Amino acid sequence: KAGVTQTPRYLIKTRGQQVTLSCSPISGHRSVSWYQQTPGQGLQFLFEYFSETQRNKGNFPGRFSGRQFSNSRSEMNVSTLELGDSALYLCASSRDSLETQYFGPGTRLLVL
Amino acid sequence: AQSVSQHNHHVILSEAASLELGCNYSYGGTVNLFWYVQYPGQHLQLLLKYFSGDPLVKGIKGFEAEFIKSKFSFNLRKPSVQWSDTAEYFCAVNGSLNKFYFGSGTKLNVKP
C-alpha cells in the first residue's frame, strides 16, 4: 500500500500571502488529521476530517482551514500568513479517529 | 483538557545503556496510547500502541512500554540502545472527542 503523500514538500511564502497544502491518505483511510510541528511547541493538532466533514478542531485561528474531498484527499489552507506560521505541517491518515495514525513526510513552510 | 507530558526533552546515552522515557497524560477516561518515533530526515512512524489488554506492550526494534493506569503513565523502555535508535520520540494519547494529543517529544542521542 502506498503511504500518505503530501505536496508540496517545501514552500516559501511571504507574509500576507495564502497557501494551500495537499494530503493524499492511504487507500481506504477516511480520517485525515493535520498537525503543525515546530521545535518549541512539538506537534499541535489543527483539525481532523472524516468523510468530508470536519469532526475536530484544535486551537488555531480561523486563518487555518481545511476540507476533504469525496476520495478522502484533504487540503489545508492558511490565509494571511504570519512569520510564526513557519513550520512543518504534517498530515496523518487512519481508518477512523481511534485507529493508528500514519503520517506523511510533511510540508515545510517558510514564511519570510 | 487532555495533555501529555514528556519530562525528558533531551537524553544522551552510550550504546548498550538502558533507556526509559517518561510519558504522563491527564485524562480520567479510557485512552489509547501510542509512541511514535521520528528518525533524522524521516517520517513519524508508529513504534507501539496500547488499546486494551496486557499493559505491557512490545513494539518494533526491541522497544516496549508499560501502561500504568493508576499513575497515568505510559513509559517507553529498551534494555540496550543502539546508535541507530538516535531519533525523536513522541508519546501520544487518544481519548475523548477522538483527538490525538502529542507530547513535546524527547530527543535521544546515542553515542557509539
Side-chain angles (χ1 to χ4, degrees), chain A residues 15-31:
Chain A
R15 277 182 298 174
Q17 287 187 308
Q18 76 163 24
V19 67
T20 299
L21 313 181
S22 180
C23 171
S24 292
I26 291 171
S27 177
H29 287 192
R30 295 163 67 188
S31 171

Side-chain angles (χ1 to χ4, degrees), chain A residues 50-70:
Chain A
F50 184 86
S51 293
E52 301 178 66
T53 302
Q54 186 183 87
R55 280 210 297 201
N56 286 294
K57 192 176 189 306
N59 299 322
F60 278 81
R63 299 184 297 107
F64 292 81
S65 63
R67 60 178 176 168
Q68 187 179 34
F69 302 95
S70 58

Side-chain angles (χ1 to χ4, degrees), chain B residues 83-110:
Chain B
W83 175 78
S84 58
D85 294 324
T86 294
E88 190 161 13
Y89 294 81
F90 293 90
C91 179
V93 172
N94 183 327
S96 70
L97 305 178
N98 300 324
K99 286 185 185 180
F100 268 81
Y101 292 87
F102 281 79
S104 55
T106 298
K107 287 186 178 174
L108 171 65
N109 194 346
V110 180

Side-chain angles (χ1 to χ4, degrees), chain B residues 11 15 21 30 52 66-68 77 85 89 91 100 111:
Chain B
V11 173
E15 274 194 315
L21 301 182
T30 302
S52 64
E66 185 175 13
F67 170 50
I68 304 179
R77 300 195 292 247
D85 294 324
Y89 294 81
C91 179
F100 268 81
K111 294 181 177 178

Side-chain angles (χ1 to χ4, degrees), chain B residues 7-107:
Chain B
H7 305 294
N8 316 104
H9 297 295
H10 200 170
V11 173
I12 301 172
L13 295 172
S14 297
E15 274 194 315
S18 64
L19 170 72
E20 180 158 4
L21 301 182
C23 173
N24 288 90
Y25 63 94
S26 63
Y27 181 65
T30 302
V31 291
N32 296 325
L33 300 155
F34 306 81
W35 275 97
Y36 282 85
V37 61
Q38 191 170 31
Y39 297 102
Q42 294 189 28
H43 306 187
L44 268 167
Q45 55 186 282
L46 182 70
L47 205 52
L48 48 78
K49 63 186 177 185
Y50 172 81
F51 281 13
S52 64
D54 188 344
L56 183 63
V57 291
K58 295 192 185 297
I60 60 172
K61 304 187 181 185
F63 285 91
E64 64 178 32
E66 185 175 13
F67 170 50
I68 304 179
K69 190 174 180 180
S70 61
K71 294 185 178 179
F72 298 92
S73 70
F74 190 55
N75 292 353
L76 181 71
R77 300 195 292 247
K78 185 170 183 179
S80 176
V81 294
Q82 301 172 316
W83 175 78
S84 58
D85 294 324
T86 294
E88 190 161 13
Y89 294 81
F90 293 90
C91 179
V93 172
N94 183 327
S96 70
L97 305 178
N98 300 324
K99 286 185 185 180
F100 268 81
Y101 292 87
F102 281 79
S104 55
T106 298
K107 287 186 178 174

